[in-house]
Amino acid sequence: IEEQVRLWGAKNFAMKNIKSTAWYPIGQAAIFVLASMEVFRWDNNEIRKMGENAPKVSLVVKLLFKPFVNIEKLAKEIPSFWRKNYTIGWVEVAKIDMDKKEMILKYHDCYFHPALCHFLEGYAEKILQFTRPQGSVLTVKEIECSFNSHKNCEVFQVNWT
């Protein structure tokens, strides 16, 4: 991955210099995802799996999200979590319908490469699964992409059992 990123012009890029607790532009995540796709010949499904695995290995994510025993309480915290961890955009829980078991998340003023959207699908799915009982099914699917629609938001639909 280092070699690929260097080929793209980041001559001093080194994985060993990345700090797990440091702040980085979200575009850097997109570069990492795209480099992974190139180097490992991964498709969007592999990138989604990469997103699913990220919360599993993050102690910070586990500590922040494991205490939420229901999806409604977690939904209230999603905008705050975004503001604390990202320097661009803002997140809105546009809809939560507990009867239909559906939530709509809108990431405003975010222009993500489609590959990063697949990563975010997996990432959000794993975090939200922390609120569900063992054996429940939860899915996150992007339903509107700023990269393709030229709108200023990403929209994800969440469904659960």
Side-chain angles (χ1 to χ4, degrees):
I1 291 176
E2 286 179 342
E3 286 179 35
Q4 184 62 50
V5 173
R6 287 186 195 126
L7 282 172
W8 290 340
K11 300 295 181 204
N12 297 322
F13 179 78
M15 297 286 286
K16 68 180 181 185
N17 295 334
I18 296 175
K19 308 284 187 258
S20 62
T21 56
W23 284 65
Y24 296 100
I26 201 153
Q28 195 163 339
I31 290 169
F32 185 80
V33 166
L34 290 168
S36 298
M37 291 178 85
E38 183 74 22
V39 170
F40 301 121
R41 302 287 184 237
W42 284 351
D43 61 13
N44 291 332
N45 290 329
E46 295 297 323
I47 295 303
R48 193 178 203 291
K49 288 177 190 172
M50 186 175 158
E52 290 172 12
N53 285 324
K56 291 180 188 177
V57 297
S58 171
L59 180 61
V60 172
V61 169
K62 287 180 185 175
L63 290 174
L64 282 174
F65 294 107
K66 282 277 189 179
F68 291 98
V69 293
N70 87 38
I71 203 162
E72 207 167 15
K73 288 182 181 177
L74 177 58
K76 290 177 184 172
E77 296 302 318
I78 290 171
S80 173
F81 173 77
W82 185 267
R83 280 191 307 275
K84 289 177 186 172
N85 291 282
Y86 297 95
T87 57
I88 64 155
W90 55 281
V91 176
E92 166 192 18
V93 177
K95 171 185 168 185
I96 185 162
D97 187 323
M98 297 303 289
D99 294 329
K100 290 183 179 178
K101 299 180 179 180
E102 178 182 89
M103 178 170 36
I104 301 293
L105 296 172
K106 287 187 176 183
Y107 294 73
H108 295 274
D109 300 325
C110 297
Y111 303 95
F112 300 145
H113 187 281
L116 188 56
C117 294
H118 293 289
F119 178 90
L120 288 172
E121 278 180 337
Y123 188 83
E125 190 168 289
K126 188 52 66 182
I127 287 174
L128 292 168
Q129 280 178 347
F130 290 153
T131 68
R132 309 307 309 140
Q134 191 75 21
S136 293
V137 176
L138 184 139
T139 59
V140 176
K141 179 164 179 48
E142 182 183 40
I143 58 174
E144 191 170 304
C145 178
S146 65
F147 196 85
N148 297 321
S149 70
H150 305 291
K151 293 185 179 177
N152 72 337
C153 69
E154 304 285 338
V155 182
F156 293 85
Q157 181 175 327
V158 181
N159 296 94
W160 64 89
T161 62

